[in-house]
């Protein structure tokens, strides 16, 4: 039940994510948004991304095991980058000329929001094979993806309001998690459990 500060730097820090003993977040201490991490077992805090240009920003990190992903503006548009904390190698996940946002990672699979088709879609890349593909071909807006194992979840506007949908990448089966007529947003998944923000009661609940 002990609560403690992960970082007390006087700049702003947002959007934390955690895997094991490693916490990552976006951090403004350098005058632009960078990705920082802290190892809770050692207490060591340091910068994840190598790009330090103040005209650039790195935001929206996620982590699974030793892999950190984030959205990155170093090329003049938003791309997805990754760093392997075990090897120290930083690499690009996708540099399609359209913007990509909000990455999430589980194992060797990275998912993100992608505007290459003129509206928000969910794309994925298998880091072990290098194959990049669309998760869903529906023409409405899909955004805010998360992934656990082979299951991807996202916010979906195909029914004229925001619902939560999922896809099992191993079977290709896509299905609705909830289609309540109120708005549902910001899904997260772990194993077989999905949570989301829901305003069916007139205010935002989980």
């Amino acid at each position: 039940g002990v609560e403690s500060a992960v970082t007390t730097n006087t700049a702003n820090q947002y959007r934390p994510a955690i895997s094991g003993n490693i916490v990552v977040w976006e951090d403004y201490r350098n005058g632009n948004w960078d990705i920082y991490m802290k190892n809770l077992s050692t207490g060591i805090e340091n910068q994840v991304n190598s790009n330090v240009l103040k005209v650039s920003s790195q935001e929206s990190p996620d982590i699974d095991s030793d892999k950190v992903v984030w959205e990155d503006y170093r090329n003049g548009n938003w791309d997805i980058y990754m760093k392997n904390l075990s090897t120290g190698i930083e690499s690009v996940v996708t540099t399609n000329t359209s913007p990509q946002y909000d990455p999430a990672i589980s194992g060797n699979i990275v998912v993100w929001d992608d505007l290459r088709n003129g509206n928000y879609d969910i794309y994925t890349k298998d880091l072990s094979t290098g194959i990049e593909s669309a998760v869903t071909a529906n023409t409405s807006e899909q955004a805010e993806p998360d992934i656990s194992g082979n299951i991807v979840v996202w916010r979906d506007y195909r029914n004229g309001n925001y619902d939560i949908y999922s896809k099992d990448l191993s079977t290709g089966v896509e299905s609705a998690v909830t289609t309540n007529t109120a708005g549902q947003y910001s899904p997260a998944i772990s194993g077989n459990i999905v949570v989301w923000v829901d305003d069916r009661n007139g205010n935002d609940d989980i």
Side-chain angles (χ1 to χ4, degrees), residues 30-34 47 49-58 74:
N30 300 318
N32 64 297
W33 292 112
D34 291 307
Q47 186 171 327
N49 63 287
S50 65
N51 189 275
V52 295
L53 297 175
K54 286 186 169 54
V55 297
S56 179
S57 285
Q58 291 77 38
R74 71 182 67 181

Side-chain angles (χ1 to χ4, degrees), residues 39-54:
N39 186 319
L40 300 178
S41 61
T42 66
I44 296 174
E45 180 178 315
N46 51 39
Q47 186 171 327
V48 175
N49 63 287
S50 65
N51 189 275
V52 295
L53 297 175
K54 286 186 169 54

Side-chain angles (χ1 to χ4, degrees), residues 109-124:
I109 306 297
V110 184
V111 294
W112 63 87
D113 295 346
D114 199 298
L115 269 171
R116 69 183 68 183
N117 300 315
N119 68 302
Y120 284 109
D121 293 311
I122 308 301
Y123 271 70
T124 181

Side-chain angles (χ1 to χ4, degrees), residues 105-192:
I105 185 169
S106 180
N108 284 316
I109 306 297
V110 184
V111 294
W112 63 87
D113 295 346
D114 199 298
L115 269 171
R116 69 183 68 183
N117 300 315
N119 68 302
Y120 284 109
D121 293 311
I122 308 301
Y123 271 70
T124 181
K125 185 172 185 176
D126 186 328
L127 300 175
S128 61
T129 65
I131 295 174
E132 183 178 312
S133 57
V135 172
T136 179
N138 188 278
T139 54
S140 65
E141 177 191 311
Q142 291 84 34
E144 298 185 315
D146 195 27
I147 183 170
S148 179
N150 289 314
I151 308 297
V152 183
V153 294
W154 65 87
R155 181 189 78 194
D156 197 299
Y157 201 72
R158 71 182 68 185
N159 300 314
N161 66 297
Y162 287 121
D163 296 312
I164 307 301
Y165 272 71
S166 72
K167 184 172 184 177
D168 187 329
L169 299 178
S170 62
T171 65
V173 174
E174 182 178 312
S175 58
V177 175
T178 179
T179 55
N180 185 280
T181 53
Q184 291 85 38
Y185 312 88
S186 302
I189 183 170
S190 179
N192 287 316

Side-chain angles (χ1 to χ4, degrees), residues 1 4 12 17 28 61-66 73 82 86 96 100 104-105 108 121 132 151-152 155 161 166 170 177-178:
S4 57
N12 289 324
Y28 205 73
D62 194 32
I63 181 171
D64 185 49
S65 185
D66 60 355
Y73 201 72
M82 181 186 78
S86 296
N96 185 280
Q100 292 86 35
I105 185 169
N108 284 316
D121 293 311
E132 183 178 312
I151 308 297
V152 183
R155 181 189 78 194
N161 66 297
S166 72
S170 62
V177 175
T178 179

